[in-house]
Amino acid sequence: LSRQAKDTQSSFSRRQLFLFIMFPAVLLGLVESVLLLYAGVQSFRAIQSTSQNDDKQWLTFWLLYTVSRFIFAVADYILFVIPFYGEIKIGFIVFIGVFNGASMIYPILEPFLLQADEVAKKYEAQARAEASKYTK
């Protein structure tokens, strides 16, 4: 092959590699944006409705979404090497939002969240007591 043909071939494979690496990240951002818009609309509708079932679904979604974002922020530095990690994240977010997965996962996490809340309340009381020393 001529030098020009080799350069074209190698740059084509570099482009393919770039797309292969970037596609999940772009797709994750796009899907997450669409899902957040959907969740926002559904949350608004839940606020407007008289039913409490949809209120619980969307409050639970937002709680699990927040927890998952925290976990992903930490885990991304380690787990990015796992094949299809980005797609797994997309699947999880779609599952908890679109397929009512939040209402399925929350009962599993509830004992841990209650335990963490008790610890948080303890430290919150200590912080308030300490702060009240300086505000009097």
Side-chain angles (χ1 to χ4, degrees):
L1 292 174
S2 70
R3 179 172 172 81
Q4 185 179 12
K6 286 183 180 179
D7 288 343
T8 304
Q9 186 180 13
S10 68
S11 68
F12 181 71
S13 63
R14 277 187 243 139
R15 274 189 235 129
Q16 285 179 327
L17 181 62
F18 177 76
L19 288 173
F20 179 75
I21 292 170
M22 291 305 297
F23 184 71
V26 171
L27 182 62
L28 177 62
L30 181 64
V31 168
E32 191 168 8
S33 297
V34 169
L35 181 62
L36 289 177
L37 179 62
Y38 173 77
V41 169
Q42 293 301 323
S43 298
F44 171 75
R45 290 178 181 165
I47 292 168
Q48 299 301 314
S49 77
T50 57
S51 171
Q52 289 189 1
N53 289 337
D54 54 2
D55 295 354
K56 186 174 182 178
Q57 160 59 27
W58 289 106
L59 278 172
T60 306
F61 166 81
W62 288 113
L63 172 69
L64 291 180
Y65 178 76
T66 304
V67 169
S68 70
R69 291 294 296 168
F70 175 76
I71 291 170
F72 291 153
V74 174
D76 283 352
Y77 292 106
I78 301 165
L79 300 179
F80 73 93
V81 295
I82 295 176
F84 305 109
Y85 175 65
E87 290 83 354
I88 292 167
K89 287 170 42 175
I90 291 170
F92 177 75
I93 293 168
V94 169
F95 174 70
I96 65 172
V98 177
F99 297 107
N100 294 333
S103 61
M104 293 180 224
I105 294 174
Y106 179 74
I108 297 166
L109 295 179
E110 186 177 22
F112 302 106
L113 293 171
L114 288 170
Q115 203 172 23
D117 190 41
E118 288 301 316
V119 172
K121 285 178 184 177
K122 176 182 141 189
Y123 287 111
E124 182 181 332
Q126 288 176 355
R128 285 183 189 204
E130 193 67 29
S132 68
K133 292 178 187 177
Y134 300 104
T135 57
K136 289 184 179 181

